[in-house]
Amino acid sequence: RGGGRRVPLLVKLGDLGEAEGTVRFLSRLGIDGVVALNTQKDYASFELPPADRALLDSYTARYGGGLSGPPILDRSSAQAAAAQAAVRELGLAGRFVVVHVGGVQSAADVQRSRATGAELRQWYTGLMHGLARPEPDLLYERVTAPERHQRLRAAMR
């Protein structure tokens, strides 16, 4: 401590298990929040073509990591919502933060993420995919305010 600034500590998990128990456990340890959810390695629970599954198995065996991006959006959204419900149920609002990560790639995904109740979103795979598209400097605008972006682009023509 020594008079320095307190830095919040968050734990990023690939699966919350039973959300209320996980949130309770982490909060009792003094953890400030949870990032739900990390890359997935349980490929059997996802509908993937056999060739894609074989490629993922080979790649992750050699380099690590797992499945991320749009395929995990449903699971990550459900887990973020469950974690946020646990925060409310345990009376931890304002003291324990939920960060939604996993599959957030579009304005609709951001709205869906907000609907989980999670206070924050981590945007990584969707950001990388977006930067590879034309006009990467307009990416944030496309995702956070697509109607405004469309009006601006029309006005520029």
Side-chain angles (χ1 to χ4, degrees):
R1 290 252 152 144
R5 182 176 84 106
R6 183 182 181 287
V7 177
L9 181 61
L10 307 178
V11 173
K12 189 173 190 180
L13 297 172
D15 186 76
L16 296 180
E18 192 274 308
E20 187 171 321
T22 300
V23 169
R24 180 185 297 111
F25 175 73
L26 292 174
S27 68
R28 286 182 178 166
L29 290 176
I31 303 299
D32 299 293
V34 64
V35 181
L37 98 148
N38 202 1
T39 53
Q40 298 295 291
K41 293 186 179 181
D42 179 19
Y43 306 136
S45 67
F46 293 91
E47 291 185 26
L48 297 172
D52 289 354
R53 182 167 292 134
L55 177 63
L56 283 167
D57 286 339
S58 174
Y59 184 88
T60 57
R62 184 168 183 173
Y63 302 106
L67 188 61
S68 65
I72 71 169
L73 179 61
D74 289 342
R75 183 178 292 182
S76 70
S77 297
Q79 295 237 334
Q84 191 60 43
V87 167
R88 285 190 304 274
E89 185 70 28
L90 295 168
L92 295 171
R95 296 181 292 144
F96 191 91
V97 67
V98 176
V99 180
H100 178 210
V101 61
V104 178
Q105 187 159 286
S106 68
D109 297 340
V110 170
Q111 290 304 316
R112 182 177 178 182
S113 178
R114 286 181 177 145
T116 69
E119 298 95 330
L120 299 169
R121 274 141 286 292
Q122 178 184 317
W123 189 30
Y124 183 76
T125 302
L127 174 63
M128 296 301 114
H129 291 174
L131 289 174
R133 292 179 56 196
E135 300 177 314
D137 55 317
L138 299 176
L139 177 62
Y140 182 80
E141 188 76 29
R142 283 194 301 259
V143 171
T144 59
E147 298 83 18
R148 182 170 175 250
H149 171 72
Q150 289 170 352
R151 286 192 310 272
L152 289 171
R153 296 298 296 158
M156 293 171 65
R157 290 188 188 132

